[in-house]
Amino acid sequence: MDGTCFSLLAYADDIVLLGEEEQKVVDLGDRLIEAAKKVGLHINMEKTQYMKISRELDNFPETETITVDQYDFKKVEDFKYLGTIVTQKNECQIDIQQRIKMRNKCFFLNIALSLKISNIKYLNLLTY
């Protein structure tokens, strides 16, 4: 891009807040919660999580929750955003493995369904 840094990614009701420091994310969260309240929306505690992403995670202090307004969000090591698995260390292996599993599942389901349809055709032929 042109060097612009984004602090918020949103698609429908999926929102990601980005910040280089924990306090920046907390501030963005406060602003988002206030804006949501103005239009009658609220944060779903069950679905809202936080994650620190870095190649050097050992340098970060470990906190299990982050508090924004009256909400406590739990820490996760990975999450799925728009069909892609995002990990703490920004690794893509988990996402690739997940996509291969989904492909295999579809492939073998398709074969099983084809065999079942073939058996029905043969059964119909035998009954005539």
Side-chain angles (χ1 to χ4, degrees), residues 28-45:
L28 287 169
D30 283 331
R31 290 173 51 195
L32 177 65
I33 290 168
E34 287 304 312
K37 284 180 185 176
K38 288 180 183 177
V39 294
L41 299 175
H42 68 279
I43 303 298
N44 184 335
M45 284 288 297

Side-chain angles (χ1 to χ4, degrees), residues 1-2 5 7 18-19 30 33 49 55 57-58 66 72 79 86 88 104 114:
M1 293 225 198
D2 63 358
C5 182
S7 298
L18 304 169
D30 283 331
I33 290 168
Q49 306 155 336
R55 291 185 183 109
L57 285 170
D58 298 333
I66 187 173
D72 288 324
F79 70 95
V86 180
Q88 282 185 315
N104 287 343
S114 296

Side-chain angles (χ1 to χ4, degrees), residues 1-117:
M1 293 225 198
D2 63 358
T4 304
C5 182
F6 295 97
S7 298
L8 181 132
L9 299 174
Y11 182 80
D13 64 345
D14 289 329
I15 299 173
V16 174
L17 301 177
L18 304 169
E20 291 183 8
E21 299 170 359
E22 186 174 309
Q23 189 56 48
K24 180 170 180 167
V25 174
V26 170
D27 294 342
L28 287 169
D30 283 331
R31 290 173 51 195
L32 177 65
I33 290 168
E34 287 304 312
K37 284 180 185 176
K38 288 180 183 177
V39 294
L41 299 175
H42 68 279
I43 303 298
N44 184 335
M45 284 288 297
E46 305 285 320
K47 292 180 159 183
T48 307
Q49 306 155 336
Y50 90 97
M51 181 175 68
K52 294 180 180 178
I53 299 176
S54 175
R55 291 185 183 109
E56 301 164 358
L57 285 170
D58 298 333
N59 296 340
F60 287 111
E62 285 295 317
T63 54
E64 290 303 311
T65 61
I66 187 173
T67 303
V68 179
D69 200 31
Q70 79 267 15
Y71 301 100
D72 288 324
F73 303 119
K74 70 177 183 173
K75 179 182 172 202
V76 295
E77 293 183 8
D78 58 64
F79 70 95
K80 193 175 245 187
Y81 182 70
L82 300 180
T84 300
I85 297 173
V86 180
T87 67
Q88 282 185 315
K89 292 187 178 182
N90 203 17
E91 301 165 323
C92 61
Q93 293 89 340
I94 293 174
D95 192 44
I96 291 169
Q97 290 170 349
Q98 190 71 22
R99 288 174 186 261
I100 289 170
K101 284 180 188 176
M102 289 180 351
R103 180 222 162 262
N104 287 343
K105 188 175 185 179
C106 287
F107 178 75
F108 289 113
L109 184 63
N110 191 17
I111 288 175
L113 186 59
S114 296
L115 289 173
K116 194 172 197 175
I117 290 172

